[in-house]
Amino acid sequence: MRQPAGRSARRSGGERKPREERWAELIEVATQVFYEKGYDGASLQDIADRLGMLKGSLYYYIQSKEDLLFDVISAVHKQGLEVVRGRADVPGGPLDKLESVIVGHVEHTCRNLVPTAVFLHELSALPVERREEILGSEHAYQGVFRDLVEQGQAAGQVRADLDPRLAALSILGSTNWVYRWFRPGGTFTPEQIGAEMAEMAIRGIATEDVLKARTA
């Protein structure tokens, strides 16, 4: 998180909330407003009104609306990346780890529908260089999936004829789409969706020997 110079633990004078708490509230409110109105339709005045503060006070934290969108999307990406990296750090072979990552990604998406929608819808509103700053030159999030596919190929668990990047994009594309149709309290739970999508993805890339072993 970027922090304005001179930010201290608490606001001065009559300000009531610690600055880190206010910053977290700003990110949460901005995320909701961008979700409801879209980046183009949202204004800093909308966000300030929702926070109950003067528009001018926002400039203590940010320099522009684009600056705020950058911070919102950065926060979403960072949280998701922490989830998938954590889920990759489990015992087992590459496909065990990939299955864990897919389940974690899907469950995280289902439980964070609004931030996910803002990330997927509004990332393109940022200039290319700012998008790359968030995603990383190697697209770190996608890289977790791609690396596990490559490791699976090296271990003889994933079909050698597959392109790891394309396989990773296919898995991410299908799992990302969950945010469009998942409804909390609906027919399917995040756990069920994650488990079934992971099973379908693994079956789509695994070697015949692995598939036989999984059904044995």
Side-chain angles (χ1 to χ4, degrees), residues 3-164:
Q3 298 183 2
R7 175 182 281 187
S8 59
R10 291 188 176 275
R11 289 177 168 274
S12 60
E15 295 171 306
R16 299 176 180 176
K17 293 189 177 182
R19 289 179 176 177
E20 291 304 323
E21 181 182 343
R22 195 58 158 167
W23 171 257
E25 186 181 11
L26 170 57
I27 293 298
E28 181 180 356
V29 168
T31 302
Q32 186 65 40
V33 172
F34 287 145
Y35 173 75
E36 293 172 4
K37 299 192 172 187
Y39 175 69
D40 290 335
S43 69
L44 291 181
Q45 188 64 61
D46 293 327
I47 294 165
D49 289 345
R50 192 77 61 92
L51 285 163
M53 64 192 297
L54 296 174
K55 177 182 174 182
S57 298
L58 290 177
Y59 292 105
Y60 172 80
Y61 299 95
I62 59 170
Q63 297 178 4
S64 65
K65 188 173 76 165
E66 180 188 298
D67 197 35
L68 182 54
L69 179 65
F70 177 89
D71 286 320
V72 165
I73 289 181
S74 293
V76 177
H77 183 264
K78 180 180 178 181
Q79 290 164 7
L81 187 58
E82 287 175 353
V83 168
V84 296
R85 282 177 170 169
R87 294 298 296 253
D89 188 20
V90 297
L95 285 185
D96 297 313
K97 296 176 185 291
L98 180 59
E99 187 171 7
S100 174
V101 165
I102 294 169
V103 170
H105 173 64
V106 170
E107 291 182 0
H108 179 73
T109 297
C110 290
R111 296 189 175 106
N112 295 273
L113 296 176
V114 169
T116 297
V118 172
F119 179 87
L120 294 174
H121 288 179
E122 307 299 348
L123 178 64
S124 61
L126 293 171
V128 173
E129 63 273 12
R130 302 206 80 183
R131 280 181 255 162
E132 291 179 349
E133 186 178 346
I134 293 170
L135 300 176
S137 59
E138 298 297 323
H139 286 229
Y141 204 105
Q142 177 194 130
V144 175
F145 292 78
R146 184 188 63 242
D147 290 348
L148 289 172
V149 173
E150 290 177 345
Q151 291 169 29
Q153 287 179 323
Q157 296 180 343
V158 173
R159 287 163 39 203
D161 61 308
L162 297 179
D163 181 281

Side-chain angles (χ1 to χ4, degrees), residues 87 98-108 110-111 175 178 181-182 188-202:
R87 294 298 296 253
L98 180 59
E99 187 171 7
S100 174
V101 165
I102 294 169
V103 170
H105 173 64
V106 170
E107 291 182 0
H108 179 73
C110 290
R111 296 189 175 106
T175 53
V178 169
W181 52 262
F182 172 73
F188 306 111
T189 66
E191 293 81 5
Q192 180 183 2
I193 296 169
E196 293 199 16
M197 295 197 79
E199 178 68 16
M200 288 186 286
I202 296 302

